[in-house]
Amino acid sequence: MLQKRFIFLIVVVLILAAATVLFIRHIQPTEDLDLNYQEISVGSKIADIVKNRKLEVQITEQDLNNLVKKQLSAHPDLPNGIRIEGAKLSLQGSNLVADVNVRWQDKLPVGAQLLFTLAWDPPNVVIQHQSTMVRGIQVPKEWLQFAPIELSIEDHLPLLIGVKDVKFEEKAVLIQLKALR
């Protein structure tokens, strides 16, 4: 009788170990991502204004990707022992989807998808975290919640130009400018 219980215990331990290994392999990132970014060239954006003869600038998905990666690389550590190691962002109108690679407790790599909303709250574009999913499973907000990220557009503009309005298009953000007096 004691031998049957011992064998049963070993089988249960092996099943739990196999389930743990499968779970860890399931949540691992599927692609290599990093936080490398390029500074946005303000000069080229101003040249676009002159060339198009319109007081508007288009921030592309790649520009936004660089801006957010810059913010994330400055603050990669999150609550609950989570550290961001890489990100890839895609713009879908006023929604921003971020595929991220994070590491939990400096040990377990996890691939996640974060959903953010974008809003124009003069003088900033506010990026608000909405939800997190790991392989299609919703993560409770209590486990991972970002503070809103505020990007000041006017900090990147010449002194005599301000922001009139910001519109979120499918793959770009259109910034309408105004001359200050």
Side-chain angles (χ1 to χ4, degrees):
M1 187 68 166
L2 187 60
Q3 186 179 12
K4 286 183 181 181
R5 287 186 181 173
F6 182 70
I7 292 173
F8 176 75
L9 183 62
I10 289 176
V11 169
V12 169
V13 168
L14 288 174
I15 290 172
L16 289 174
T20 302
V21 168
L22 288 173
F23 176 73
I24 289 171
R25 290 190 68 189
H26 180 71
I27 64 171
Q28 286 184 337
T30 56
E31 61 182 307
D32 291 329
L33 301 173
D34 58 38
L35 292 178
N36 297 334
Y37 62 91
Q38 295 177 345
E39 290 289 338
I40 294 177
S41 171
V42 176
S44 68
K45 298 295 180 186
I46 293 173
D48 288 343
I49 294 171
V50 172
K51 184 173 77 175
N52 296 331
R53 295 183 185 155
K54 292 182 181 178
L55 280 176
E56 60 185 33
V57 174
Q58 186 176 42
I59 304 295
T60 64
E61 185 176 63
Q62 185 60 43
D63 293 336
L64 194 59
N65 197 19
N66 286 323
L67 286 169
V68 173
K69 279 186 172 185
K70 182 177 180 177
Q71 292 283 335
L72 291 175
S73 65
H75 308 287
D77 293 317
L78 303 174
N80 301 326
I82 297 172
R83 179 179 184 83
I84 295 180
E85 295 184 332
K88 178 179 73 173
L89 296 102
S90 62
L91 186 61
Q92 300 169 355
S94 63
N95 291 323
L96 183 68
V97 177
D99 293 311
V100 296
N101 290 351
V102 298
R103 188 166 298 271
W104 181 63
Q105 301 294 333
D106 288 331
K107 292 180 179 76
L108 182 62
V110 178
Q113 188 174 65
L114 307 170
L115 175 64
F116 297 90
T117 56
L118 304 172
W120 170 237
D121 185 18
N124 299 319
V125 171
V126 180
I127 303 172
Q128 179 73 44
H129 178 237
Q130 297 299 315
S131 64
T132 303
M133 296 183 78
V134 175
R135 293 286 181 116
I137 299 170
Q138 187 79 27
V139 175
K141 283 192 173 191
E142 299 80 41
W143 291 7
L144 181 63
Q145 183 64 40
F146 287 96
I149 300 171
E150 294 185 353
L151 300 175
S152 176
I153 297 170
E154 290 183 345
D155 289 348
H156 301 286
L157 297 175
L159 292 175
L160 298 176
I161 297 178
V163 177
K164 180 179 178 182
D165 194 18
V166 175
K167 295 182 180 177
F168 302 101
E169 298 177 343
E170 190 58 31
K171 293 291 180 191
V173 177
L174 187 63
I175 302 169
Q176 296 174 337
L177 304 171
K178 63 182 177 183
L180 298 177
R181 294 182 180 218

